């Protein structure tokens, strides 16, 4: 704000290239010759850059011109995180209880370093693939290496950023509680295969009966496949026979109550059965099952600690993108 004292009319001129300063008036008319005091209110738009910016204005009248230089402080450091806008079968803000990766774009107007906030993070074996940068970063990846075995509670992941001017910021995630297991065979964005088990993907020669174990052997996914069982380019593939199946993990003292299956094939006729191949109530095949659309079975009368199977039901191949299991 400027106080302009004059006994003549005056007008405001300035740097025509400047778009970040505005004034509540451009001129003041004084025809009587008396000395008058007028407040000139100047408003600056927020400075988006990390540099001081300057401009000049001038007040002109019959007696001449007075020049003023205006400066605005550089922008305060800020940081934000966003996921690419796309269709997904999962909430990318939540890590699977099995662990995994999440990635998104960092938007920052300063240099930065990043670290896991160990005081606020309750998930285990959390790491960053990138720990420093200058400004924006298109792919910032957070990794959770250990499963959450707490059946009732989610866990927190907090990343702390240290920026210029001793400014800090945080981004936060959750890890799903242990009662919900999500096998993300095609990863966060459903476009790249994601091996979730110990060892390496066995390849197309693997068939018959066998098991895969998550790191640490917390959970076992078994299979029976007349032809190949391996992680294919469009999902976790199991055989091509009507009786081929995936056998799902059991949790001691807990029963499986929900299965949500997103399959890349859709030409199978899957249903849920027990280990004796007896159909489970609530697990019947439904014609609404189709490819790339999550389909849910809400199971009834399942037993604690028992394993259940997703059976192909047709001479086609299961190719599961994402498989979510809920226990209670």
């Amino acid at each position: 704000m400027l106080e302009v004292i004059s006994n003549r009319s005056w007008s405001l001129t300035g740097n025509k290239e400047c778009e970040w300063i505005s004034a509540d008036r451009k001129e003041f008319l004084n025809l009587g010759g008396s000395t008058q005091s007028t407040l000139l209110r100047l408003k600056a738009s927020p400075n988006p850059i990390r540099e001081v910016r300057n401009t000049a204005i001038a007040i002109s009248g019959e007696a001449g011109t007075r020049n003023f230089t205006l400066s605005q402080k550089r922008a305060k450091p800020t940081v934000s995180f966003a996921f690419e806008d796309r269709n997904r079968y999962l909430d990318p803000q939540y890590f699977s209880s099995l662990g995994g990766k999440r990635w998104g774009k960092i938007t920052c107007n300063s240099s930065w370093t990043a670290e896991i906030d160990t005081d606020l993070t309750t998930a285990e074996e959390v790491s960053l693939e990138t720990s420093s940068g200058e400004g924006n970063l298109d792919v910032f990846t957070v990794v959770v290496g250990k499963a959450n075995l707490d059946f009732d509670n989610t866990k927190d992941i907090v990343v702390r950023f240290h920026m210029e001017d001793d400014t800090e910021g945080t981004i936060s995630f959750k890890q799903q509680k242990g009662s919900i297991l999500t096998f993300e065979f095609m990863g966060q964005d459903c476009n790249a295969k994601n091996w979730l088990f110990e060892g390496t993907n066995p390849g197309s020669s693997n068939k018959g009966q066998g098991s895969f174990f998550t790191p640490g052997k917390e959970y076992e996914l078994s299979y029976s496949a007349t032809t190949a069982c391996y992680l294919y380019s469009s999902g976790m593939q199991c055989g091509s026979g009507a009786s081929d199946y995936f056998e799902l993990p059991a949790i001691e003292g807990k029963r499986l109550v929900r299965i949500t299956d997103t399959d890349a094939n859709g030409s199978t006729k899957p249903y849920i059965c027990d280990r004796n191949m007896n159909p489970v109530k609530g697990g019947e095949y439904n014609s609404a099952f189709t490819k790339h659309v999550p389909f849910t079975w809400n199971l009834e009368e399942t037993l604690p600690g028992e394993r259940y199977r997703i059976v192909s039901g047709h001479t086609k191949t299961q190719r599961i993108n994402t498989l979510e299991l809920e226990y209670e």
Side-chain angles (χ1 to χ4, degrees), residues 153-189:
N153 298 295
T154 60
K155 292 195 174 184
D156 296 314
I157 299 98
V158 179
V159 182
R160 185 166 296 278
F161 288 82
H162 305 279
M163 296 170 286
E164 297 169 5
D165 300 342
D166 295 323
T167 304
E168 295 190 342
T170 60
I171 60 173
S172 301
F173 304 86
K174 293 282 187 182
Q175 184 181 17
Q176 187 58 271
K177 59 186 179 180
S179 59
I180 298 177
L181 306 183
T182 304
F183 291 88
E184 300 170 2
F185 294 120
M186 296 301 291
Q188 171 184 303
D189 292 337

Short mmCIF file of all heavy atoms in Angstrom, two decimals, residues 153-189:
data_model
loop_
_atom_site.label_atom_id
_atom_site.label_comp_id
_atom_site.label_asym_id
_atom_site.label_seq_id
_atom_site.Cartn_x
_atom_site.Cartn_y
_atom_site.Cartn_z
N ASN A 153 -5.37 -54.37 12.20
CA ASN A 153 -4.93 -52.98 12.08
C ASN A 153 -4.08 -52.74 10.84
O ASN A 153 -3.22 -53.55 10.49
CB ASN A 153 -4.13 -52.57 13.32
CG ASN A 153 -4.96 -52.64 14.59
OD1 ASN A 153 -5.94 -51.90 14.75
ND2 ASN A 153 -4.59 -53.55 15.48
N THR A 154 -4.34 -51.60 10.20
CA THR A 154 -3.48 -51.16 9.11
C THR A 154 -2.17 -50.62 9.69
O THR A 154 -2.07 -50.36 10.89
CB THR A 154 -4.15 -50.07 8.27
OG1 THR A 154 -4.43 -48.93 9.11
CG2 THR A 154 -5.44 -50.56 7.65
N LYS A 155 -1.20 -50.42 8.81
CA LYS A 155 0.06 -49.81 9.23
C LYS A 155 0.31 -48.55 8.40
O LYS A 155 -0.26 -48.37 7.33
CB LYS A 155 1.21 -50.80 9.08
CG LYS A 155 1.11 -51.96 10.07
CD LYS A 155 2.40 -52.74 10.20
CE LYS A 155 2.29 -53.79 11.30
NZ LYS A 155 3.57 -54.52 11.51
N ASP A 156 1.15 -47.67 8.93
CA ASP A 156 1.41 -46.37 8.31
C ASP A 156 2.77 -46.35 7.63
O ASP A 156 3.74 -46.96 8.12
CB ASP A 156 1.36 -45.26 9.35
CG ASP A 156 -0.01 -45.11 9.99
OD1 ASP A 156 -0.99 -45.10 9.23
OD2 ASP A 156 -0.10 -45.00 11.22
N ILE A 157 2.83 -45.63 6.52
CA ILE A 157 4.09 -45.33 5.84
C ILE A 157 4.13 -43.82 5.65
O ILE A 157 3.23 -43.25 5.01
CB ILE A 157 4.19 -46.02 4.47
CG1 ILE A 157 4.12 -47.54 4.64
CG2 ILE A 157 5.47 -45.61 3.76
CD1 ILE A 157 2.76 -48.14 4.39
N VAL A 158 5.13 -43.15 6.22
CA VAL A 158 5.25 -41.70 6.12
C VAL A 158 6.63 -41.38 5.55
O VAL A 158 7.66 -41.81 6.09
CB VAL A 158 5.07 -41.00 7.48
CG1 VAL A 158 5.22 -39.49 7.32
CG2 VAL A 158 3.70 -41.34 8.06
N VAL A 159 6.64 -40.62 4.46
CA VAL A 159 7.88 -40.17 3.83
C VAL A 159 8.05 -38.69 4.13
O VAL A 159 7.13 -37.89 3.88
CB VAL A 159 7.86 -40.40 2.31
CG1 VAL A 159 9.19 -39.96 1.69
CG2 VAL A 159 7.57 -41.86 1.99
N ARG A 160 9.21 -38.32 4.66
CA ARG A 160 9.47 -36.92 5.02
C ARG A 160 10.45 -36.30 4.02
O ARG A 160 11.50 -36.88 3.72
CB ARG A 160 10.03 -36.81 6.44
CG ARG A 160 10.21 -35.35 6.91
CD ARG A 160 10.42 -35.27 8.40
NE ARG A 160 9.25 -35.74 9.13
CZ ARG A 160 8.18 -34.99 9.37
NH1 ARG A 160 8.12 -33.75 8.94
NH2 ARG A 160 7.17 -35.49 10.06
N PHE A 161 10.09 -35.11 3.53
CA PHE A 161 10.91 -34.38 2.58
C PHE A 161 11.58 -33.19 3.28
O PHE A 161 10.92 -32.45 4.03
CB PHE A 161 10.06 -33.86 1.41
CG PHE A 161 9.62 -34.95 0.48
CD1 PHE A 161 8.50 -35.72 0.79
CD2 PHE A 161 10.31 -35.23 -0.67
CE1 PHE A 161 8.08 -36.74 -0.04
CE2 PHE A 161 9.91 -36.25 -1.52
CZ PHE A 161 8.79 -37.00 -1.20
N HIS A 162 12.85 -33.00 3.03
CA HIS A 162 13.59 -31.86 3.51
C HIS A 162 13.92 -30.98 2.30
O HIS A 162 14.57 -31.43 1.35
CB HIS A 162 14.88 -32.30 4.20
CG HIS A 162 14.65 -33.30 5.30
ND1 HIS A 162 14.26 -32.93 6.57
CD2 HIS A 162 14.73 -34.66 5.31
CE1 HIS A 162 14.13 -34.02 7.32
NE2 HIS A 162 14.40 -35.08 6.58
N MET A 163 13.46 -29.72 2.35
CA MET A 163 13.59 -28.82 1.20
C MET A 163 14.42 -27.60 1.58
O MET A 163 14.97 -27.51 2.68
CB MET A 163 12.20 -28.43 0.71
CG MET A 163 11.40 -29.62 0.18
SD MET A 163 9.66 -29.25 -0.15
CE MET A 163 8.99 -29.15 1.51
N GLU A 164 14.52 -26.66 0.66
CA GLU A 164 15.27 -25.44 0.89
C GLU A 164 14.63 -24.62 2.02
O GLU A 164 13.46 -24.80 2.34
CB GLU A 164 15.35 -24.62 -0.40
CG GLU A 164 16.10 -25.33 -1.52
CD GLU A 164 15.94 -24.62 -2.86
OE1 GLU A 164 15.32 -23.54 -2.90
OE2 GLU A 164 16.43 -25.16 -3.86
N ASP A 165 15.42 -23.71 2.58
CA ASP A 165 14.96 -22.83 3.67
C ASP A 165 14.52 -23.63 4.90
O ASP A 165 13.66 -23.19 5.66
CB ASP A 165 13.80 -21.94 3.22
CG ASP A 165 14.16 -21.03 2.07
OD1 ASP A 165 15.38 -20.83 1.84
OD2 ASP A 165 13.26 -20.52 1.39
N ASP A 166 15.10 -24.82 5.08
CA ASP A 166 14.78 -25.68 6.23
C ASP A 166 13.30 -26.00 6.31
O ASP A 166 12.72 -26.14 7.40
CB ASP A 166 15.23 -25.02 7.54
CG ASP A 166 16.74 -24.86 7.61
OD1 ASP A 166 17.44 -25.78 7.13
OD2 ASP A 166 17.21 -23.84 8.13
N THR A 167 12.65 -26.11 5.14
CA THR A 167 11.23 -26.43 5.08
C THR A 167 11.05 -27.94 4.91
O THR A 167 11.83 -28.58 4.22
CB THR A 167 10.56 -25.70 3.91
OG1 THR A 167 10.80 -24.30 4.04
CG2 THR A 167 9.06 -25.94 3.89
N GLU A 168 10.01 -28.50 5.54
CA GLU A 168 9.75 -29.93 5.45
C GLU A 168 8.32 -30.18 4.98
O GLU A 168 7.44 -29.34 5.11
CB GLU A 168 9.96 -30.61 6.81
CG GLU A 168 11.41 -30.57 7.28
CD GLU A 168 11.65 -31.44 8.50
OE1 GLU A 168 10.66 -31.80 9.17
OE2 GLU A 168 12.81 -31.76 8.76
N GLY A 169 8.11 -31.36 4.40
CA GLY A 169 6.79 -31.81 3.99
C GLY A 169 6.73 -33.32 4.09
O GLY A 169 7.75 -33.99 4.18
N THR A 170 5.52 -33.87 4.05
CA THR A 170 5.36 -35.32 4.15
C THR A 170 4.33 -35.82 3.14
O THR A 170 3.45 -35.07 2.70
CB THR A 170 4.89 -35.75 5.55
OG1 THR A 170 3.62 -35.14 5.84
CG2 THR A 170 5.91 -35.37 6.61
N ILE A 171 4.47 -37.10 2.76
CA ILE A 171 3.42 -37.82 2.05
C ILE A 171 3.19 -39.12 2.82
O ILE A 171 4.11 -39.64 3.46
CB ILE A 171 3.76 -38.10 0.59
CG1 ILE A 171 5.04 -38.95 0.47
CG2 ILE A 171 3.91 -36.81 -0.18
CD1 ILE A 171 5.33 -39.41 -0.94
N SER A 172 1.96 -39.62 2.79
CA SER A 172 1.61 -40.77 3.63
C SER A 172 0.85 -41.83 2.85
O SER A 172 0.12 -41.52 1.90
CB SER A 172 0.73 -40.31 4.81
OG SER A 172 1.40 -39.35 5.59
N PHE A 173 1.03 -43.09 3.27
CA PHE A 173 0.33 -44.23 2.73
C PHE A 173 -0.15 -45.11 3.88
O PHE A 173 0.26 -44.93 5.03
CB PHE A 173 1.25 -45.09 1.83
CG PHE A 173 1.90 -44.35 0.72
CD1 PHE A 173 3.10 -43.68 0.91
CD2 PHE A 173 1.34 -44.33 -0.55
CE1 PHE A 173 3.72 -43.00 -0.12
CE2 PHE A 173 1.96 -43.66 -1.59
CZ PHE A 173 3.15 -43.00 -1.37
N LYS A 174 -0.98 -46.08 3.54
CA LYS A 174 -1.39 -47.11 4.49
C LYS A 174 -1.00 -48.48 3.93
O LYS A 174 -0.97 -48.67 2.70
CB LYS A 174 -2.90 -47.08 4.72
CG LYS A 174 -3.42 -45.85 5.43
CD LYS A 174 -3.16 -45.92 6.93
CE LYS A 174 -3.84 -44.77 7.66
NZ LYS A 174 -3.54 -44.81 9.12
N GLN A 175 -0.75 -49.42 4.82
CA GLN A 175 -0.63 -50.82 4.43
C GLN A 175 -1.84 -51.56 4.98
O GLN A 175 -2.17 -51.43 6.16
CB GLN A 175 0.66 -51.45 4.95
CG GLN A 175 0.85 -52.89 4.47
CD GLN A 175 2.12 -53.55 4.98
OE1 GLN A 175 2.72 -53.08 5.96
NE2 GLN A 175 2.53 -54.63 4.36
N GLN A 176 -2.50 -52.30 4.11
CA GLN A 176 -3.75 -52.97 4.48
C GLN A 176 -3.56 -53.92 5.66
O GLN A 176 -2.48 -54.47 5.88
CB GLN A 176 -4.29 -53.74 3.27
CG GLN A 176 -5.65 -54.35 3.44
CD GLN A 176 -6.72 -53.34 3.79
OE1 GLN A 176 -6.94 -53.06 4.97
NE2 GLN A 176 -7.37 -52.78 2.78
N LYS A 177 -4.60 -54.07 6.45
CA LYS A 177 -4.55 -54.98 7.59
C LYS A 177 -4.41 -56.43 7.13
O LYS A 177 -4.74 -56.78 5.99
CB LYS A 177 -5.79 -54.81 8.46
CG LYS A 177 -7.12 -55.07 7.76
CD LYS A 177 -8.29 -54.72 8.67
CE LYS A 177 -9.62 -54.95 7.94
NZ LYS A 177 -10.77 -54.61 8.81
N GLY A 178 -3.93 -57.28 8.03
CA GLY A 178 -3.60 -58.64 7.68
C GLY A 178 -4.77 -59.53 7.32
O GLY A 178 -4.58 -60.61 6.76
N SER A 179 -5.98 -59.10 7.60
CA SER A 179 -7.16 -59.91 7.26
C SER A 179 -7.53 -59.82 5.79
O SER A 179 -8.39 -60.56 5.32
CB SER A 179 -8.36 -59.47 8.11
OG SER A 179 -8.64 -58.10 7.89
N ILE A 180 -6.88 -58.91 5.04
CA ILE A 180 -7.16 -58.76 3.61
C ILE A 180 -5.85 -58.96 2.86
O ILE A 180 -4.93 -58.14 2.96
CB ILE A 180 -7.77 -57.38 3.30
CG1 ILE A 180 -9.11 -57.22 4.02
CG2 ILE A 180 -7.96 -57.21 1.80
CD1 ILE A 180 -9.77 -55.87 3.84
N LEU A 181 -5.77 -60.06 2.11
CA LEU A 181 -4.59 -60.36 1.30
C LEU A 181 -4.90 -60.00 -0.14
O LEU A 181 -5.86 -60.49 -0.72
CB LEU A 181 -4.24 -61.85 1.37
CG LEU A 181 -4.04 -62.48 2.76
CD1 LEU A 181 -3.62 -63.94 2.59
CD2 LEU A 181 -3.01 -61.72 3.56
N THR A 182 -4.07 -59.15 -0.73
CA THR A 182 -4.24 -58.80 -2.14
C THR A 182 -3.01 -59.22 -2.92
O THR A 182 -1.91 -58.71 -2.68
CB THR A 182 -4.49 -57.30 -2.32
OG1 THR A 182 -5.62 -56.91 -1.54
CG2 THR A 182 -4.76 -56.97 -3.78
N PHE A 183 -3.21 -60.14 -3.85
CA PHE A 183 -2.14 -60.58 -4.74
C PHE A 183 -2.22 -59.71 -6.00
O PHE A 183 -3.14 -59.86 -6.81
CB PHE A 183 -2.31 -62.06 -5.08
CG PHE A 183 -2.07 -62.98 -3.92
CD1 PHE A 183 -3.11 -63.32 -3.07
CD2 PHE A 183 -0.82 -63.50 -3.69
CE1 PHE A 183 -2.90 -64.18 -1.99
CE2 PHE A 183 -0.59 -64.37 -2.62
CZ PHE A 183 -1.63 -64.70 -1.77
N GLU A 184 -1.27 -58.81 -6.15
CA GLU A 184 -1.26 -57.86 -7.26
C GLU A 184 -0.36 -58.41 -8.37
O GLU A 184 0.77 -57.96 -8.56
CB GLU A 184 -0.80 -56.49 -6.77
CG GLU A 184 -1.69 -55.92 -5.69
CD GLU A 184 -1.11 -54.66 -5.02
OE1 GLU A 184 -0.02 -54.21 -5.44
OE2 GLU A 184 -1.75 -54.15 -4.09
N PHE A 185 -0.87 -59.36 -9.14
CA PHE A 185 -0.05 -60.03 -10.13
C PHE A 185 0.34 -59.13 -11.30
O PHE A 185 1.29 -59.42 -12.01
CB PHE A 185 -0.77 -61.27 -10.66
CG PHE A 185 -0.96 -62.33 -9.62
CD1 PHE A 185 -2.24 -62.76 -9.27
CD2 PHE A 185 0.11 -62.91 -8.97
CE1 PHE A 185 -2.42 -63.75 -8.32
CE2 PHE A 185 -0.06 -63.89 -8.01
CZ PHE A 185 -1.33 -64.31 -7.69
N MET A 186 -0.42 -58.04 -11.51
CA MET A 186 -0.09 -57.10 -12.58
C MET A 186 0.30 -55.73 -12.04
O MET A 186 0.31 -54.75 -12.76
CB MET A 186 -1.26 -56.98 -13.56
CG MET A 186 -1.57 -58.27 -14.30
SD MET A 186 -0.18 -58.90 -15.27
CE MET A 186 -0.07 -57.67 -16.56
N GLY A 187 0.61 -55.63 -10.77
CA GLY A 187 1.15 -54.41 -10.20
C GLY A 187 0.14 -53.29 -10.02
O GLY A 187 -1.05 -53.43 -10.30
N GLN A 188 0.65 -52.15 -9.57
CA GLN A 188 -0.20 -51.00 -9.23
C GLN A 188 -1.05 -50.54 -10.41
O GLN A 188 -2.22 -50.22 -10.25
CB GLN A 188 0.68 -49.85 -8.75
CG GLN A 188 -0.06 -48.52 -8.57
CD GLN A 188 0.86 -47.39 -8.18
OE1 GLN A 188 1.55 -47.47 -7.18
NE2 GLN A 188 0.90 -46.33 -8.98
N ASP A 189 -0.47 -50.48 -11.59
CA ASP A 189 -1.18 -49.94 -12.75
C ASP A 189 -1.71 -51.02 -13.69
O ASP A 189 -2.15 -50.72 -14.80
CB ASP A 189 -0.26 -48.99 -13.52
CG ASP A 189 0.04 -47.72 -12.74
OD1 ASP A 189 -0.76 -47.38 -11.85
OD2 ASP A 189 1.07 -47.09 -13.01
#
